[in-house]
Amino acid sequence: MIHGSWRALAWIGIAELCALSLWFSASVIAPELIQAWKLNSSAEAWLSASVPIGFVLGAFISSYFGIADRFNPRKVLAVSAFLGALLNISLILVDHAFFGILLRILTGVSLAGVYPVAVKILSQWFPKKRGLAMGILIASLTLGSSLPHFIVMFFSSLNWQFVIICSSILALLAAIIVNWVVEDAPVKTKKLPFSFQLIKKVVANKPVMLANYGYFGHMWELYAMWTWFPIFLTASFTSYSPGISPWFIALSSFVTIGIAGGMGCVIGGVVSDKIGRANLTIISMLISGICCILIGFTFGESIWFTLILSIIWGMSVIADSAQFSAAVSEVAEVEYVGTALTFQMCIGFLITIFSINLVPIIQRVIGWEWVFACLAIGPILGIVSMIRYKQHELNQVKAAAGYYK
């Protein structure tokens, strides 16, 4: 069982890494798409928000109908990755902004069947001590999300279609792995018929919602940082050294988001199993919140000073992500854990749409030096929520020990 669970984790992690390359596959080639599709400023905003919008729609539909609980989650993940690959590669056939953005929204819908469902599958393989396992899974997601930066770094001389083709092939590989290599967890789960009560049960579960509120604060910061940080680095590095190589900027973005983020996920998973989910999330959000405020002071300053703080931010901003999902998978009733996880991500990614689009608006007013400070609101509110979650856990332990009559 133990050997099988880690083998499943390895294959699911590889599949997640490949499939999540779809997320930023168009973002890293946005300048080329803007030119090819003749996008105006309004359409550009839609392009940046298209995948999160699609993810929210897909997650809402999935959670509303309990798809992750009613069907074999491995099959759901495989089909979703396959559809995502088809939708993504269709971009190379499009020459109009409307259809391009529509395809990106539908790609986001397909990804709602990849990430949340992978979390559920892993929770079946790791019924206990799943912090490290979840951390490795989110590390794969982080590396996968940053893969387009890696592709651009080495193949910037090729046309933008090459990035799309590469990410589509990776997503197709993910579907193949999940469908033919990954096995179902050796646990029996009750397949519920359709019920309108599933989401109501999630909302009524107090510890689940406290973990959700912490996750919502985390998400306010995370994807806005991932989306705009490469642009911040470009502006900062070229301000300090106008002749700096675009290759070095792409490498810095990949190291900050992908490498440092992946390391943060794994370290966070190990530490959370030792000190508890709540403590890890509080520490992580405290560090990332401080980085939100301090990073602006490095703008246009020493490149290495900026990179050091960037790496710290890249590690801390994602180190807690898996633990919110792990917390929900542990405190939610087993019959609706899939719906609970999908609901959590649905609302969380809805929040990212607002923060992603807020950053450029504020940046035009106060500049890069201060714009990321607005993201610190999320970690602050998340810390408050997780302190309450921790107190609820302590009360439950005391009650079980007979402290309360």
Side-chain angles (χ1 to χ4, degrees), residues 209-219 285 320 324 378 381-383 385-386:
M209 290 310 296
L210 286 174
N212 280 344
Y213 297 143
Y215 179 77
F216 300 158
H218 156 78
M219 290 298 283
M285 285 188 286
D320 53 348
F324 295 109
L381 295 178
I383 289 171
S385 179
M386 294 311 293

Side-chain angles (χ1 to χ4, degrees), residues 23-24 45 48-49 52-53 56 215-229 292 313 317 347-364 368 371-379:
W23 193 285
F24 288 113
S48 65
I53 289 173
V56 169
Y215 179 77
F216 300 158
H218 156 78
M219 290 298 283
W220 172 265
E221 176 192 14
L222 177 62
Y223 273 81
M225 183 271 194
W226 276 4
T227 300
W228 295 109
F229 194 72
C292 286
W313 194 13
V317 75
I347 304 301
F349 280 91
L350 179 63
I351 290 171
T352 69
I353 296 172
F354 294 100
S355 60
I356 287 172
N357 285 281
L358 182 64
V359 168
I361 295 173
I362 296 179
Q363 188 273 331
R364 286 194 289 268
W368 285 115
V371 66
F372 286 127
C374 70
L375 299 183
I377 297 170

Side-chain angles (χ1 to χ4, degrees), residues 189-201:
T189 57
K190 183 180 178 181
K191 293 185 178 181
L192 296 180
F194 171 73
S195 172
F196 288 99
Q197 303 301 316
L198 288 175
I199 295 179
K200 291 182 180 179
K201 289 181 180 180

Side-chain angles (χ1 to χ4, degrees), residues 285-342:
M285 285 188 286
L286 177 63
I287 296 173
S288 67
I290 292 173
C291 289
C292 286
I293 297 170
L294 294 182
I295 194 68
F297 290 100
T298 72
F299 183 81
E301 301 297 330
S302 168
I303 289 175
W304 297 110
F305 179 49
T306 305
L307 267 179
I308 290 172
L309 187 58
S310 299
I311 290 172
I312 295 172
W313 194 13
M315 292 180 67
S316 60
V317 75
I318 189 65
D320 53 348
S321 190
Q323 306 317 313
F324 295 109
S325 299
V328 166
S329 69
E330 289 171 344
V331 298
E333 297 296 331
V334 66
E335 65 266 22
Y336 60 84
V337 66
T339 297
L341 289 167
T342 308

